[in-house]
């Protein structure tokens, strides 16, 4: 309940603080947590169960385990669990939260948003002034929710300290060749989980202002037209092609943006220094990502930007060639429906950097046989794909592998996939040694919507890492057999299709967690907390 009049003290303080912070204050991920089901299946056992070749799922897809969602869990229950965990274990005052954004592709109700279900966690503390609702798109809803929250942090309408971004999805597939993890002919069953990000000032990972690009198109690579089924229709080869094509565009465009802004910054610095000296003399020792060229000597021209080409200096040298863009980021976190696809994307980084040589030179080494291919043709060529994957291994091992703990052990989390990778990165001690360095983030959603942006490491993640306790929680899950996993998913399928009450026992629900208890008259879902 609430009473009038409302106190405006907190709102006034927030306005004063925002005025003191100034326009250059950075916002980003202050804290975070993750939720995943307590049941999982081993992928090597799934290989035996499905009668496929050894290593098809573990080596071929890069997956070791897969979460299994029972009929007691859905997008709402998982969202409740991850947000309550963030608020309680991380000690967040509910009154300090002024916005909650939910990204999902798992519609539970055609009218009532998941965000409104989450309000039960805030009204107990008397906080009814929480903006935000759900953002819906395959695998990308969470990223748009993050962008909305970041933009709100800079807004004059913000009166509270934090926003929370929630991603929550159940990833399940039908029997047969379309049941695989995200469009690959296997039988890995999907996954599922939820991530909560606390957004505010003094972040661990700050969103670098201006460093985000998007690529949108109209495709039919993955869609769910049947409202009485959780299963998608999937065009596997098209989905892979769309993922990599969008990555190509975003990577080239972000590199262009990054280096052009670096030159603009140096121009500004050089102009300011010259003004202070009272002369227009050329300053010595200008350094930066344009290879030491003085900004006053740089003539940048657009070169077919509609195709995402890198801008070039007047001598024909790509801006990205003098200081490779991959050297500008310490880690890369990518949407990871399965880990092998992330390796393919890192191979595209190699392709871009082989392209970034002085005009007139040919690609050298192993890529020479493919020098005649256009970027679009190279996306379809299996030969160049294998070569790029091999050449990209050092970059993958150094900057990407440590971000895939959740992806390899939980499976596809749809809208939470990228943010599970960010959680995994926060849970590695090496992130504390990267303060001041950049993290590349790539988000992809079928249909399609994609984005790439840069995060900057601002401080240690030691406390967040301790509270998430990722490895221990993953180890404590209950392993079930492939046959048991099949049964659990079949029960879930019948419940959704025929509007049946959930029938599984509560043994797989952890104490204190929310679960789907049943349906009220009219079909509204009821959620309870296990005591």
């Amino acid at each position: 309940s609430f009473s009038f009049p409302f106190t405006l003290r907190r709102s006034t303080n927030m306005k004063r603080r925002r005025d003191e912070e100034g326009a250059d204050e950075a916002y980003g991920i202050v804290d975070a947590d993750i939720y995943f089901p307590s049941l999982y299946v081993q992928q090597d056992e799934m290989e035996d169960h499905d009668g496929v070749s050894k290593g098809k799922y573990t080596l071929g897809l890069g997956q070791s385990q897969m979460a299994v969602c029972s009929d007691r869990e859905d997008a709402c229950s998982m969202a409740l669990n991850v947000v309550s965990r963030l608020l309680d274990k991380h000690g967040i005052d509910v009154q300090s939260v002024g916005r909650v954004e939910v990204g999902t592709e798992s519609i539970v109700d055609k009218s009532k948003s998941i965000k409104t279900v989450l309000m039960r966690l805030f009204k107990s503390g008397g906080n009814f002034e929480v903006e935000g609702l759900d953002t819906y798109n395959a695998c990308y809803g969470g990223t748009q929710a993050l962008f909305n929250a970041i933009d709100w942090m800079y807004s004059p309408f913000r009166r509270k300290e934090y926003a929370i971004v929630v991603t929550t999805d159940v990833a399940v597939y039908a029997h047969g060749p379309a049941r695989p993890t995200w469009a690959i002919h296997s039988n890995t069953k999907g996954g599922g989980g939820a991530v909560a990000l606390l957004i505010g000032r003094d972040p661990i990972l700050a969103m670098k202002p201006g460093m985000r690009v998007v690529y949108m198109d109209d495709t039919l690579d993955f869609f769910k037209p049947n409202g009485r089924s959780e299963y998608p229709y999937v065009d596997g080869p098209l989905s892979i092609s769309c993922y990599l094509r969008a990555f190509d565009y975003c990577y080239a465009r972000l590199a262009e943006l990054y280096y052009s802004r670096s030159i603009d910054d140096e121009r500004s610095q050089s102009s300011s220094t010259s003004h202070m000296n009272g002369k227009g003399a050329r300053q010595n020792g200008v350094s930066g990502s344009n290879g030491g060229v003085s900004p006053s000597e740089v003539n940048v021209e657009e070169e077919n930007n509609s195709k995402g080409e890198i801008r070039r200096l007047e001598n024909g040298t790509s801006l990205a060639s003098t200081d490779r863009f991959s050297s500008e980021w310490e880690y890369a976190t990518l949407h990871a429906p399965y880990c092998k696809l992330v390796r393919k994307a890192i191979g595209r980084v190699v392709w871009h950097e082989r392209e970034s040589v002085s005009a007139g030179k040919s690609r050298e080494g192993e890529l020479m046989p493919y020098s005649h291919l256009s970027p679009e043709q190279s996306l379809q060529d299996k030969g160049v794909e294998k070569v790029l994957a091999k050449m990209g291994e050092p970059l993958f091992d150094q900057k990407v592998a440590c971000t895939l703990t959740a992806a390899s052990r939980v499976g596809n989390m749809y809208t939470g996939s990228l943010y599970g990778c960010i959680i995994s990165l926060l849970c590695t001690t090496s992130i504390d040694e990267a303060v001041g360095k950049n993290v590349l983030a790539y988000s992809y959603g079928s249909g399609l919507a994609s984005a790439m942006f840069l995060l900057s490491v601002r401080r240690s993640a030691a406390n967040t890492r301790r509270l998430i306790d990722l490895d221990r929680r993953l180890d404590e899950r209950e392993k079930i057999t492939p046959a048991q996993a099949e049964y659990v998913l079949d029960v879930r399928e019948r419940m959704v299709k025929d509007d049946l009450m959930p029938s599984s026992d509560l043994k797989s629900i952890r104490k204190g967690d929310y679960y789907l208890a049943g349906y009220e008259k009219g079909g509204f879902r009821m959620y309870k907390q296990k005591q």
Side-chain angles (χ1 to χ4, degrees), residues 230-277:
E230 294 181 303
Y231 300 148
Y233 288 89
V234 185
D235 184 332
L238 178 60
S239 235
I240 296 170
S241 176
C242 289
Y243 177 102
L244 296 175
R245 174 162 52 88
F247 181 90
D248 265 15
Y249 180 93
C250 288
Y251 192 81
R253 188 72 179 91
L254 189 63
E256 174 190 36
L257 194 63
Y258 183 89
Y259 285 108
S260 62
R261 175 159 294 202
S262 297
I263 288 176
D264 289 342
D265 290 345
E266 289 185 1
R267 279 181 176 146
S268 177
Q269 180 181 358
S270 177
S271 175
S272 176
T273 304
S274 297
H275 178 73
M276 287 188 294
N277 290 343

Side-chain angles (χ1 to χ4, degrees), residues 1 7 121 132 196 222 230 234 272 274 278 291-292 302 320 324 338 371 400 413 419 515:
S1 63
T7 174
L121 303 176
F222 177 108
E230 294 181 303
V234 185
S272 176
S274 297
E302 296 288 335
R324 296 182 310 163
Y338 62 98
S371 60
V400 185
M413 294 173 64
Y419 303 99
Y515 64 93

Side-chain angles (χ1 to χ4, degrees), residues 370-392:
Y370 308 100
S371 60
H372 64 285
L373 296 178
S374 68
E376 184 68 26
Q377 290 172 330
S378 70
L379 288 171
Q380 311 299 329
D381 192 289
K382 293 298 182 182
V384 73
E385 178 184 291
K386 291 180 180 179
V387 171
L388 291 173
K390 181 68 175 178
M391 295 177 69

Side-chain angles (χ1 to χ4, degrees), residues 169-365:
D169 278 303
V170 176
V172 289
Y173 296 84
H175 284 284
R179 178 164 246 192
T181 179
W182 196 78
I184 293 300
H185 292 286
S186 64
N187 223 352
T188 50
K189 307 299 184 295
V195 171
L197 308 175
L198 185 70
I199 307 300
R201 63 190 299 266
D202 188 26
I204 300 171
L205 296 174
M207 183 82 76
K208 288 184 75 72
M211 290 292 105
R212 82 187 194 201
V213 298
V214 300
Y215 178 82
M216 304 281 177
D217 199 357
D218 180 11
T219 66
L220 290 175
D221 55 322
F222 177 108
F223 51 100
K224 300 177 182 177
N226 185 352
R228 299 185 66 84
S229 173
E230 294 181 303
Y231 300 148
Y233 288 89
V234 185
D235 184 332
L238 178 60
S239 235
I240 296 170
S241 176
C242 289
Y243 177 102
L244 296 175
R245 174 162 52 88
F247 181 90
D248 265 15
Y249 180 93
C250 288
Y251 192 81
R253 188 72 179 91
L254 189 63
E256 174 190 36
L257 194 63
Y258 183 89
Y259 285 108
S260 62
R261 175 159 294 202
S262 297
I263 288 176
D264 289 342
D265 290 345
E266 289 185 1
R267 279 181 176 146
S268 177
Q269 180 181 358
S270 177
S271 175
S272 176
T273 304
S274 297
H275 178 73
M276 287 188 294
N277 290 343
K279 297 179 180 180
R282 173 181 172 182
Q283 300 299 308
N284 294 325
V286 176
S287 62
S289 55
N290 64 337
V293 180
S294 170
S296 62
E297 296 181 317
V298 174
N299 175 26
V300 181
E301 62 179 345
E302 296 288 335
E303 183 172 284
N304 203 1
N305 279 329
S306 64
K307 295 182 179 179
E309 296 291 330
I310 302 295
R311 298 206 300 183
R312 299 180 182 272
L313 305 179
E314 63 179 354
N315 65 2
T317 302
S318 165
L319 293 174
S321 69
T322 54
D323 197 3
R324 296 182 310 163
F325 190 40
S326 63
S327 69
E328 306 290 355
W329 40 270
E330 191 72 8
Y331 297 102
T333 53
L334 280 66
H335 175 60
Y338 62 98
C339 296
K340 189 65 172 290
L341 185 57
V342 176
R343 284 186 178 272
K344 293 182 180 182
I346 296 304
R348 300 305 302 174
V349 173
V350 175
W351 176 269
H352 278 281
E353 295 184 349
R354 291 298 179 186
E355 287 281 273
S356 299
V357 295
S358 298
K361 289 187 178 180
S362 299
R363 290 185 289 268
E364 300 175 356

